[in-house]
Amino acid sequence: MKEQIIAVSKRVLLQISPTEEERDRVEALSRKLEEKIAAACKSEGVVATVRVEGSVAKDTWLAENPDIDVFMRLPTSIPRKNLGDIGLRIAKKAAGNAEQLERFAEHPYLEVFVEGYRVDIVPCYDAKPGEWQSATDRTPYHTDYIKSRLSKESRGEVRLLKRFMQGVGVYGAEIKVGGFSGYLCELLTMHYGSFVKVVEAFAHYSKRIVIDIEGFYSGREKEVGLLFPEPLVIVDPVDKGRNVASAVQNQKLYTFIAASRAFLAKPKEEFFYPPKPHALSPDLMEGWLAKCGSAYVFLVIGDSNAVPDVLWGQLYRTKRSLRKLFETNDYSVVKDEVFSNESSLSVFVFELEQRILPDIKKHLGPQLEREGESEKFLAKYVSDDRVLSGPYIEDGRWVVEVPRKNIDSVALLREKLSDGGKNAGVAEIATQAIKKEYKTLVNGEILKVYTENSDFAVFLTQFIADKPFWLNP
């Protein structure tokens, strides 16, 4: 099996490693961009250090994805509220007529498309270590740290780890993904020594992984548990108060663990380059939804324009709130997810065990030994006309059977969305979209949306099947 892993890794590494020609092209463009942005800073009267950071600077980029990150390290005298605006103004001036998109993480930055490459022009403060004013201030220090410690061979191992994580769907620290960042991949490779050793370490994951490369907490390991409660902790070598893995969602961590085990058992190139997902035909999807036995409840909204990180944060918050709404009203949620094309269409999907609940509900009262509470319970229900049965004693506690307030999950959802959903915990962007127009659909009623939106069709097919490709024979 070891020979197979080595053979697969070699073949993949050939595909993802940049050629000398590709390196020369990216390096030439990087220098040109640095010069343009530095000139724009000077023309705006802003003293700045301009430098390419990230995977291109560290030589851990994938040949198929050479995104270039150019950082402007601006004076700390600039007020925090003005950092993004000043950075955007300089970036737009440097970009000229190139295709541009404003993006937002902690503060605004500019995404530009130049000579076929995607370039992020990002402002940060020229801060001293430990005196961070924005999250991006650490990035130049991350670059220097990795460059000084990764050998040429190790950079290839990082590439393998990144490509593997992309293949199994756990790569990317943006809110939409909630996975492993490039910097995290570099630190894991540095700590364990190779791609395979990282995979082996996570394949044997039991309860928690804590990595402190610089030994900040040596002899004080208990403090780590108090500072960082997450199941995966990688103490940032340039900031001991930060867990580099804090953005990794549990689901992504557990997916990586399971995929690592599967790869070690049966190494295949498909882990790095998975088969392209396809949607079921509308007829097959209609047949599945008709016979599935559960209820798929959809909330369809549109016009939710916002920068991706903000949008996805609010979509996930809304999904959690609506799941809680169903669960607190006794609907059993099998699973849920949200789709968005990040502009004109977002769809929340909730698979419920059943759409309609029984008319009657068992309401549990206090244990008999709680005499005072028992008296209050009896005083409330013994003469209540709504009570269908009881009060009676079951397993040492008082019980009554009462009618449910709501037995239809869709009716419940529509009722709570009548004001845009604010009282149900729906986030502001979704609330505004709901106030304009929304649809609540069940099972086959989604087919019109399904047939008109190919990306959503693929998403729904995957959501229903919900089986990782690497489990296939």
Side-chain angles (χ1 to χ4, degrees), residues 446-465:
I446 196 65
L447 284 173
K448 187 173 188 296
V449 179
Y450 185 88
T451 55
E452 292 176 351
N453 299 269
S454 58
D455 289 340
F456 172 70
V458 170
F459 159 84
L460 186 57
T461 298
Q462 290 183 302
F463 176 79
I464 286 174

Side-chain angles (χ1 to χ4, degrees), residues 195-470:
F195 156 68
V196 172
K197 287 181 179 177
V198 173
V199 169
E200 288 174 342
F202 279 82
H204 295 105
Y205 177 96
S206 57
K207 290 185 178 180
R208 200 162 190 249
I209 291 178
V210 178
I211 298 172
D212 180 10
I213 294 172
E214 289 297 308
F216 291 126
Y217 299 95
S218 180
R220 300 183 295 148
E221 285 76 11
K222 288 184 179 179
E223 290 183 30
V224 177
L226 297 173
L227 285 170
F228 310 113
E230 298 89 359
L232 176 62
V233 178
I234 317 294
V235 181
D236 193 336
V238 307
D239 183 355
K240 65 181 181 181
R242 176 174 179 261
N243 175 16
V244 180
S246 62
V248 179
Q249 297 173 7
N250 288 352
Q251 182 68 17
K252 299 299 180 181
L253 169 61
Y254 301 142
T255 298
F256 180 54
I257 291 166
S260 296
R261 292 172 181 170
F263 176 74
L264 293 176
K266 195 173 182 180
K268 297 182 293 184
E269 285 186 45
E270 282 84 352
F271 283 89
F272 301 88
Y273 292 98
K276 185 178 179 181
H278 295 284
L280 289 174
S281 69
D283 287 345
L284 287 175
M285 177 57 70
E286 183 178 22
W288 166 261
L289 292 173
K291 69 178 183 180
C292 63
S294 56
Y296 286 87
V297 177
F298 302 89
L299 169 61
V300 182
I301 62 175
D303 293 332
S304 48
N305 284 310
V307 291
D309 265 5
V310 173
L311 174 62
W312 282 101
Q314 296 216 1
L315 291 176
Y316 286 141
R317 177 183 149 195
T318 298
K319 178 173 70 72
R320 289 192 298 269
S321 295
L322 294 179
R323 181 185 182 114
K324 185 177 179 181
L325 171 68
F326 285 126
E327 290 177 337
T328 54
N329 284 273
D330 299 331
Y331 295 94
S332 180
V333 180
V334 179
K335 58 184 177 180
D336 57 18
E337 194 51 272
V338 59
F339 164 87
S340 181
N341 64 7
E342 299 182 355
S343 58
S344 60
L345 178 68
S346 295
V347 184
F348 299 88
V349 189
F350 300 90
E351 183 185 3
L352 310 180
E353 285 189 358
Q354 54 195 117
R355 171 185 174 173
I356 306 295
L357 294 176
D359 291 333
I360 194 169
K361 173 184 178 180
K362 180 185 285 188
H363 177 62
L364 302 179
Q367 296 285 345
L368 285 175
E369 59 262 29
R370 297 184 175 181
E371 189 173 348
E373 291 178 30
S374 294
E375 288 179 5
K376 289 179 182 178
F377 184 83
L378 291 173
K380 180 176 181 180
Y381 288 107
V382 75
S383 299
D384 191 332
D385 293 338
R386 295 182 305 115
V387 174
L388 301 173
S389 180
Y392 59 85
I393 299 168
E394 182 176 273
D395 295 329
R397 72 189 309 159
W398 287 106
V399 177
V400 291
E401 295 173 18
V402 294
R404 292 184 187 277
K405 291 181 180 179
N406 190 299
I407 63 168
D408 186 338
S409 57
V410 177
L412 171 68
L413 187 57
R414 288 172 181 164
E415 176 191 335
K416 296 300 182 181
L417 297 180
S418 60
D419 64 348
K422 274 196 171 183
N423 291 327
V426 173
E428 182 61 27
I429 290 173
T431 292
Q432 294 307 316
I434 288 167
K435 285 181 177 179
K436 291 178 185 176
E437 184 182 12
Y438 76 90
K439 295 175 183 175
T440 52
L441 307 170
V442 183
N443 290 352
E445 295 172 356
I446 196 65
L447 284 173
K448 187 173 188 296
V449 179
Y450 185 88
T451 55
E452 292 176 351
N453 299 269
S454 58
D455 289 340
F456 172 70
V458 170
F459 159 84
L460 186 57
T461 298
Q462 290 183 302
F463 176 79
I464 286 174
D466 210 14
K467 178 184 176 183
F469 70 87
W470 35 264

Side-chain angles (χ1 to χ4, degrees), residues 116-127:
Y117 295 97
R118 190 181 78 176
V119 179
D120 288 341
I121 305 175
V122 185
C124 71
Y125 283 109
D126 192 6

Side-chain angles (χ1 to χ4, degrees), residues 161-174:
L161 182 58
K162 285 184 177 182
R163 185 61 249 183
F164 181 85
M165 287 188 171
Q166 285 183 7
V168 300
V170 301
Y171 183 78
E174 62 271 25

